[in-house]
Amino acid sequence: MSLENLKKANEYIRQLQKQREEKGPRLKQALAGEMRRSPVKERKPPREFKDSSFLYIRSYDSDNGSRPGLNVAYWRSPDVRVAPVSSLNSYTTELEAGKAYSIRCVVHNRGDLMVPSANVEFYLVTPSLGFDTRFARKLGMASTWVDCYGSAEVSIPYTVPASDAGHKCLFARVFSFSPLDIPVHTTKLDPREDRHIGQQNLNIAAQASQMIINLLHMPVGQMGIELRPLSREAVLAIRHPSAADFNILEGEKFTPFIGKFKFGFAEKIRTGKMEVRNGSTHIEFNGEGKFGLDEQKRMHARMKGVFEAINSGKAKSSQFRKELAAPREMNLENTMTPLKFQIPDMGLKKGDMAGFEIISTNKVTGEVTGGITLLVIGK
């Protein structure tokens, strides 16, 4: 389209918008009058049409895109799946080198406008508590049409190189340019703050083994990590295909072992110190950063209203460019620190499984920053 035709189109759109603003109130009054004269008593008027989309990826089964979510494990999105091409119903998070997988994501639209091209990006990462696109491998992107009040699925194929084999976590991010429906943050992927993000962070590991878990944090920060046992019903509710192959045990039975799960720095770090208090791991970081603890706390308080407006559908993130500039700048200071995570021998027999949640919390703001569901098996 030439620049001249583009200007004409924009001018025509502005005229239509002006007419709607002028005629809208009169049309509402006329409709209200017709409703009163209707033979159907107590007839409700039609809901007002909003010319916007409302894209989201669920974080839990009953999720409708509203944020912040309930007190749920938002890191187990039912819409994000990885499955071997040879068995698409057997989804997994442990990847084998050289094997072909199908990576899928279901996208929902709760808005009145259809989305002709919803773009979904896929990211693969080492199991992480908190996530940022700068610390992951981007696997690819797929697009799909999503009707108003509809859903659609996208998928990409992925043959795993040796460097990506093992326990992994998957993130998906959806966005659209027309209609404009974009994520809140530039690089930070946080399903609690942003309905455009979906996360699948579930790992199966053997007892008496060690994992590497990444922790996302500010250079100056205070973080806490704790483990919570899962009930047998909670593990079964995850609906992981492997559950049928194991004897699921009550997590409360293994509460005495919580203190035996050990975290440590995977690399030498001068700006961090770690200690265990009351069964939880506390980490303090004293690096160099523009945003100190007080500023982080003030920023969190200031942005609550903005996030509520965006996630309720009353406004779009593009309307808060000035307000979001500072939080986006602050998020760019986030760094990733690898931690060693030692799983103790809990006396599980071969064929036994017990579930736990690993949860990280920003002690400055009090918010949960990440989580991993860990299913421990006997060997």
Side-chain angles (χ1 to χ4, degrees):
M1 181 181 291
S2 67
L3 182 60
E4 183 180 352
N5 288 336
L6 184 61
K7 289 180 179 179
K8 290 180 179 179
N10 287 333
E11 178 59 31
Y12 181 62
I13 291 173
R14 281 193 290 268
Q15 290 176 6
L16 291 177
Q17 290 174 334
K18 184 179 179 180
Q19 289 179 20
R20 187 175 67 174
E21 291 175 0
E22 293 174 348
K23 297 179 180 179
R26 295 201 301 272
L27 288 173
K28 286 182 181 179
Q29 292 176 359
L31 179 60
E34 292 297 322
M35 297 293 291
R36 287 193 296 270
R37 288 189 290 270
S38 172
V40 180
K41 300 302 181 182
E42 298 182 359
R43 186 176 181 181
K44 293 182 179 180
R47 185 178 55 82
E48 183 178 355
F49 178 85
K50 294 182 179 180
D51 55 348
S52 65
S53 59
F54 191 88
L55 292 174
Y56 67 95
I57 301 172
R58 290 181 301 166
S59 288
Y60 46 92
D61 286 336
S62 59
D63 188 4
N64 66 356
S66 300
R67 296 293 184 276
L70 300 173
N71 186 24
V72 295
Y74 62 83
W75 47 87
R76 294 198 306 264
S77 169
D79 290 333
V80 181
R81 290 286 183 263
V82 184
V85 172
S86 58
S87 180
L88 294 177
N89 291 324
S90 301
Y91 70 86
T92 182
T93 54
E94 184 170 5
L95 306 182
E96 298 180 28
K99 198 169 184 177
Y101 291 84
S102 174
I103 300 178
R104 295 173 285 173
C105 178
V106 178
V107 179
H108 308 270
N109 178 17
R110 214 181 75 196
D112 289 338
L113 283 185
M114 63 184 67
V115 181
S117 182
N119 305 291
V120 181
E121 300 172 306
F122 293 96
Y123 294 90
L124 194 68
V125 64
T126 298
S128 299
L129 295 167
F131 182 68
D132 190 293
T133 60
R134 296 169 297 160
F135 306 104
R137 179 190 294 276
K138 184 176 179 179
L139 301 182
M141 185 172 71
S143 300
T144 185
W145 180 295
V146 190
D147 284 325
C148 54
Y149 296 95
S151 302
E153 183 178 73
V154 297
S155 65
I156 61 170
Y158 185 60
T159 300
V160 180
S163 59
D164 283 346
H167 295 291
K168 296 295 177 181
C169 294
L170 181 69
F171 282 78
R173 176 169 66 177
V174 63
F175 63 93
S176 167
F177 291 124
S178 182
L180 189 62
D181 198 336
I182 58 176
V184 174
H185 299 296
T186 308
T187 62
K188 183 183 176 184
L189 300 189
D190 187 348
R192 287 189 73 254
E193 291 182 349
D194 197 340
R195 55 185 164 84
H196 298 86
I197 313 300
Q199 176 183 4
Q200 188 55 250
N201 213 354
L202 181 149
N203 286 270
I204 300 175
Q207 63 182 356
S209 66
Q210 183 175 282
M211 295 174 58
I212 295 295
I213 294 178
N214 287 331
L215 177 67
L216 185 73
H217 61 88
M218 294 290 290
V220 181
Q222 296 175 355
M223 305 296 294
I225 307 175
E226 64 175 317
L227 269 78
R228 299 174 187 172
L230 287 172
S231 67
R232 182 176 184 274
E233 288 73 19
V235 174
L236 291 173
I238 297 172
R239 302 190 298 276
H240 195 283
S242 67
D245 301 325
F246 289 90
N247 175 35
I248 313 298
L249 303 177
E250 283 290 342
E252 291 292 337
K253 176 181 178 181
F254 300 96
T255 300
F257 289 90
I258 293 294
K260 296 182 180 182
F261 287 83
K262 300 295 184 182
F263 281 97
F265 292 116
E267 304 167 353
K268 287 186 177 180
I269 179 171
R270 296 179 180 178
T271 58
K273 62 180 181 179
M274 181 184 302
E275 64 176 335
V276 178
R277 299 199 302 263
N278 300 322
S280 299
T281 301
H282 295 258
I283 310 174
E284 185 173 326
F285 295 98
N286 296 294
E288 294 183 2
K290 177 181 176 181
F291 298 87
L293 301 181
D294 291 339
E295 180 58 24
Q296 292 175 39
K297 194 170 184 178
R298 286 194 294 269
M299 185 87 68
H300 172 73
R302 287 200 301 267
M303 296 310 298
K304 273 189 174 181
V306 172
F307 289 140
E308 287 175 3
I310 294 172
N311 293 316
S312 66
K314 296 179 180 178
K316 289 186 174 292
S317 57
S318 57
Q319 298 174 231
F320 296 100
R321 289 188 178 92
K322 291 183 180 179
E323 292 84 351
L324 287 170
R328 285 171 175 166
E329 181 184 358
M330 184 178 74
N331 289 331
L332 290 175
E333 283 197 355
N334 271 314
T335 186
M336 197 75 86
T337 295
L339 305 175
K340 295 182 296 185
F341 178 58
Q342 184 65 44
I343 304 171
D345 186 335
M346 301 186 299
L348 294 172
K349 298 178 182 179
K350 187 175 181 179
D352 287 346
M353 175 186 282
F356 301 86
E357 301 283 24
I358 307 172
I359 301 170
S360 63
T361 304
N362 185 328
K363 293 298 183 180
V364 178
T365 63
E367 281 199 327
V368 172
T369 59
I372 297 173
T373 296
L374 177 66
L375 303 180
V376 181
I377 60 176
K379 61 177 181 178

